[in-house]
Amino acid sequence: MLSVLRVHLPSDIPIVGCELTSYVLLQCPDTSITTDDVPESSPIYGFCLRYRWYRIQSDRKVAICSVHPFEQATLQCFGCVKAKIHVAKSYHCSPRGRAFGRFNTSGSGASNASLSSSTPSIGHNTSLSNGSTPSYPAAVTERSGGETWFEVGRLKTYTPTADDIGQVLKFECVSFVAEKKLHVGHANTILTSHVIPPPTPSPRRLVPVNGVDVIGNLDLDGHTFRNLYCGSHTIFSDVHASNDLYSYCPSWAYRRQNLLREIVGYRADILCLQEGSTQVGDAGSDDPLLKKFLVFKDAFWRFLRPHTIRGTALGSVALVSRALIENTDLIKWPLLFKALCGVFALICGNGYIVGINQIYDVGIDKVNKPYLPIAVGDLSVQSTWSLVLFVVVAGVSIVSFNFGPFITSLYCLGLFLGTIYSVPPFRMKKYLVAAFLIIAT
């Protein structure tokens, strides 16, 4: 039977106009693990998946803080309301947030764009498709406390609309027999936090120049030029927005697709990106070879799992340094090159082990570690196999050429343990004690 092992959303904070793509981890009848989509139109082994998105409509209205949209509002500034600022901008989670919001509010008194369902804005596309579901279908399930569930989508992805602001979304995934339409197992569900509106864009302020006609074209010496639009956007890429520093920040795989959609929608002639990474900042490079090299360099570095390289290198250097400090008569500077070769061989062995693990765990990594190069699509499985074979051949060659057969045998033993840790049918990582002993070794 087709079993749903886990359901995961890339972000717990839905934003209007930002697509939510669910990650569903499946176990097929042949015990293989996959994250492929199995819709009702394309069943496998006679089974398929049914996706449902629900909006939990509550009689108790929930206001969201305009400064900290992931917090629930506890007070309202009536001074903002009297100043004819949009009512959504008057809610705050604390007096400190109110002071910050007033400090950053324009004093022009102009009303911001409304987020009602009839007024499109940034992140609110009236042509969004979330499956064959009407905007306000009949109630599906009644809950205690005055809450009602409305079905809003029937696809694996869902794009929140302005009607969802302040409400909680629920994603449901269940496996069932395709022919008999019978459910198999229990439904896997996940709840989000309250949907928040997108940030209101600042109005464009054009710089007046001489020689502009009524239509807005610039006329210089008989030549007519159209308007030139410049844009600046702070990317805040994964290099800066690490989970250690900003735990509330969604994953880069989720943010990247929505950032690209928003930036392209600006249709700017000149675009300045700040706090970006090589994946975004070099996307417009004129040199295709340089672009490919930079993308590959970034993917290869993530493929090597830098934190494991640091552990391998520091552990080796620390042990050798302690041995040399205790036995100073063994210090021979000509052996420095051989020692560096040994460290490089260890890094190659480490690259082989983590590479094999990523190849055979690509389905799991798409859910738990979507930033890895294979899971995100920056490296293909074929390219990863080429890298794995290259590093293992380089590592074994270096060890066999510079060290004796005993060290070479230990090196090959480490490679063997790393292989059976991830490669079926062994998959020793499934067994707690065996996995611990292999990692410790």
Side-chain angles (χ1 to χ4, degrees):
M1 114 180 146
L2 187 66
S3 303
V4 180
L5 300 180
R6 184 184 176 188
V7 176
H8 171 72
L9 292 178
S11 175
D12 295 330
I13 306 175
I15 304 174
V16 173
C18 294
E19 183 180 80
L20 289 172
T21 302
S22 58
Y23 293 95
V24 181
L25 188 63
L26 303 174
Q27 185 176 26
C28 300
D30 59 356
T31 70
S32 61
I33 305 297
T34 181
T35 57
D36 295 337
D37 190 11
V38 189
E40 301 179 27
S41 58
S42 302
I44 60 174
Y45 302 102
F47 297 93
C48 56
L49 296 177
R50 190 197 71 178
Y51 307 111
R52 292 292 184 270
W53 289 88
Y54 300 100
R55 178 199 307 134
I56 302 180
Q57 196 88 21
S58 175
D59 295 336
R60 301 184 302 272
K61 299 298 182 180
V62 177
I64 305 299
C65 177
S66 60
V67 180
H68 308 99
F70 44 85
E71 297 288 347
Q72 184 173 342
T74 59
L75 55 90
Q76 184 180 18
C77 174
F78 286 99
C80 300
V81 177
K82 291 181 179 179
K84 297 183 180 180
I85 297 175
H86 190 267
V87 65
K89 300 294 183 181
S90 64
Y91 291 108
H92 305 281
C93 59
S94 64
R96 181 180 178 183
R98 173 178 174 271
F100 182 84
R102 292 189 65 181
F103 179 77
N104 287 276
T105 302
S106 173
S108 60
S111 175
N112 292 323
S114 174
L115 289 173
S116 63
S117 57
S118 61
T119 305
S121 61
I122 295 295
H124 181 198
N125 189 349
T126 56
S127 62
L128 295 177
S129 175
N130 290 310
S132 56
T133 305
S135 299
Y136 289 97
V140 178
T141 306
E142 295 291 338
R143 295 184 62 189
S144 60
E147 291 182 341
T148 308
W149 292 357
F150 290 97
E151 182 181 324
V152 293
R154 296 185 177 183
L155 300 176
K156 192 175 182 180
T157 61
Y158 178 75
T159 304
T161 65
D163 299 324
D164 302 322
I165 295 177
Q167 306 298 338
V168 175
L169 300 177
K170 183 180 79 167
F171 173 72
E172 179 183 273
C173 176
V174 63
S175 173
F176 67 95
V177 181
E179 294 182 356
K180 300 181 179 180
K181 304 295 183 181
L182 296 177
H183 293 183
V184 179
H186 66 282
N188 290 262
T189 62
I190 185 171
L191 295 176
T192 69
S193 59
H194 297 283
V195 179
I196 63 175
T200 304
S202 302
R204 281 182 171 176
R205 294 178 174 85
L206 302 180
V207 179
V209 294
N210 296 326
V212 178
D213 57 20
V214 178
I215 303 178
N217 296 319
L218 182 62
D219 187 10
L220 295 176
D221 299 331
H223 298 281
T224 302
F225 301 91
R226 64 180 181 84
N227 291 336
L228 185 67
Y229 296 102
C230 302
S232 177
H233 201 293
T234 300
I235 299 298
F236 202 53
S237 67
D238 57 333
V239 178
H240 308 283
S242 62
N243 290 331
D244 296 335
L245 297 177
Y246 307 97
S247 58
Y248 58 85
C249 195
S251 64
W252 175 243
Y254 168 75
R255 293 179 58 239
R256 181 175 59 179
Q257 61 176 353
N258 294 303
L259 281 171
L260 290 176
R261 183 186 298 110
E262 180 178 352
I263 292 173
V264 171
Y266 289 151
R267 303 180 64 85
D269 299 294
I270 301 176
L271 186 63
C272 175
L273 302 180
Q274 304 168 15
E275 297 186 14
S277 65
T278 55
Q279 290 183 331
V280 177
D282 298 307
S285 175
D286 294 333
D287 191 348
L289 294 178
L290 177 61
K291 176 183 176 182
K292 291 181 179 179
F293 172 76
L294 293 174
V295 172
F296 175 77
K297 181 192 71 173
D298 179 74
F300 181 68
W301 180 245
R302 285 180 287 125
F303 158 80
L304 290 177
R305 306 300 302 277
H307 68 280
T308 60
I309 293 179
R310 288 192 290 267
T312 301
L314 290 176
S316 304
V317 172
L319 289 175
V320 173
S321 300
R322 180 174 179 179
L324 293 178
I325 291 174
E326 295 177 353
N327 303 274
T328 55
D329 56 314
L330 297 178
I331 300 178
K332 297 179 181 179
W333 292 109
L335 296 177
L336 179 61
F337 177 74
K338 182 175 289 189
L340 294 177
C341 290
V343 173
F344 183 74
L346 289 175
I347 294 176
C348 289
N350 183 84
Y352 166 78
I353 293 173
V354 298
I356 286 290
N357 181 263
Q358 293 177 58
I359 290 175
Y360 286 96
D361 284 359
V362 60
I364 300 175
D365 290 341
K366 286 182 178 180
V367 177
N368 295 330
K369 304 172 184 176
Y371 53 85
L372 292 179
I374 307 179
V376 79
D378 293 338
L379 281 180
S380 64
V381 176
Q382 293 79 3
S383 301
T384 307
W385 271 115
S386 301
L387 292 175
V388 165
L389 294 176
F390 171 77
V391 295
V392 71
V393 170
V396 173
S397 302
I398 292 173
V399 173
S400 60
F401 182 78
N402 292 279
F403 305 96
F406 178 71
I407 300 298
T408 304
S409 301
L410 291 178
Y411 186 82
C412 293
L413 175 63
L415 297 179
F416 172 74
L417 293 176
T419 302
I420 64 175
Y421 176 82
S422 303
V423 177
F426 306 102
R427 295 282 288 180
M428 304 306 292
K429 64 181 298 181
K430 297 188 297 184
Y431 309 102
L432 181 62
V433 177
F436 171 76
L437 293 176
I438 291 177
I439 295 175
T441 304

